[in-house]
Structures are given as C-alpha cells and as structure tokens.
Amino acid sequence: MSRVSAVSTASLTLLSELMNYDFSVHDLDEPVTDELVEKSTGIRGLVQNMRAHIGGTVRIRDLAGHRATLLQGPRFVGTATQVADQMEEWFTTDACDGFVLAATHLPGAFEDFVRLVVPELQRRGLHRKQYAGTTLREHLGLARPPTAPRLPTGPAHV
C-alpha cells in the first residue's frame, strides 16, 4: 500500500507548497512536531489551527487531509465590490500582508477573480496595474547579487 494511499498526492503537494517544506520525506502517520514546523518557512498557522481543531496530536495525514478544505481561514464572499471591501479591510488594518486564493469552483473561479475583483482592487490602489521591471527581482525591488569573477576561457594549462 502506498504511503499516500489515504491522502491524495495533490493534498500532500499542496500542503508542502503552503508550508514550503517537503512532507513527502515523512511517514503520513508521523506527528507534526514543533521542530518539524520550525523547519518550514510557509504558513505555520495551519498547524496551530489543526491543533486547536483536533485537540491533540496532529499527524501529517491529518494536516494534508484537511489542507484541501476551505476551513483554514476567512472566506470573502459577495460581489466583486464586497470581496474587495473585505480584502481591503484585512490588508489596511495589517491583519495580513497578502492572500492565498482557493478556487470555490473549477473551471472559472480564478478567471472570475481576475476579471471582477482585481480591477476593483486596482481602482483602490491596492493591486498593481503594471510591473516595475522585467524580472521578479526588479518587481520585488531586490538588488542583483554580485557575480563571481569569470574564469579565463581557452585551453587548460596544467
């Protein structure tokens, strides 16, 4: 029986992406310890929420199984204006520094968000209309790291 038989590969992959940690190297019945959480650089609140919900030991199987649901955070629902209002409130009151979107239906959820909500956020100055540069580094305002000196080319001399 596969280690991922009861938990879909997609759920484990999504969990690994959100936590920025490769959970596939662990057994699904292994407990999620504080040390394991500290190794991740992603959304650590998922573990805290699961611990509060389960009330005991959280195993990787539990976390991956529940990750695929929309129970982990707030749900912004309504018209494009209402969703933008809710997002603006969270963002401007420092309740968050960004959002992770989950599709409520496929196909079309992300397309609806981009077509309806993003223009409203742009009108409010909360979402960019264009990018600052041509690379991700430029968009984020990060300096280019120094490059290593190049080695001479040509035939090697021994």
Side-chain angles (χ1 to χ4, degrees), residues 20-77:
N20 197 26
Y21 181 83
D22 183 8
F23 283 94
S24 69
V25 299
H26 296 280
D27 186 273
L28 289 173
D29 290 318
E30 188 175 320
V32 179
T33 62
D34 291 337
E35 293 79 23
L36 193 146
V37 173
E38 287 300 315
K39 291 179 183 177
S40 76
T41 58
I43 304 172
R44 295 177 179 170
L46 293 175
V47 175
Q48 294 165 344
N49 290 342
M50 282 298 297
R51 284 180 177 156
H53 178 70
I54 291 176
T57 301
V58 175
R59 303 195 180 283
I60 293 173
R61 173 184 315 280
D62 303 323
L63 199 54
H66 284 84
R67 174 43 233 136
T69 70
L70 295 176
L71 300 176
Q72 281 80 23
R75 290 168 209 87
F76 300 149
V77 296

Side-chain angles (χ1 to χ4, degrees), residues 59-136:
R59 303 195 180 283
I60 293 173
R61 173 184 315 280
D62 303 323
L63 199 54
H66 284 84
R67 174 43 233 136
T69 70
L70 295 176
L71 300 176
Q72 281 80 23
R75 290 168 209 87
F76 300 149
V77 296
T79 65
T81 301
Q82 291 168 332
V83 170
D85 288 344
Q86 295 165 66
M87 293 179 80
E88 180 177 15
E89 180 181 353
W90 272 66
F91 187 72
T92 59
T93 61
D94 293 329
C96 69
D97 60 3
F99 297 93
V100 176
L101 302 178
T104 55
H105 59 280
L106 292 172
F110 296 117
E111 292 84 354
D112 288 346
F113 185 83
V114 169
R115 187 172 49 81
L116 301 169
V117 179
V118 168
E120 182 62 31
L121 293 171
Q122 288 173 328
R123 277 192 285 282
R124 299 172 187 210
L126 296 171
H127 193 286
R128 73 178 91 216
K129 291 183 180 182
Q130 59 188 14
Y131 288 96
T134 58
T135 65
L136 178 60

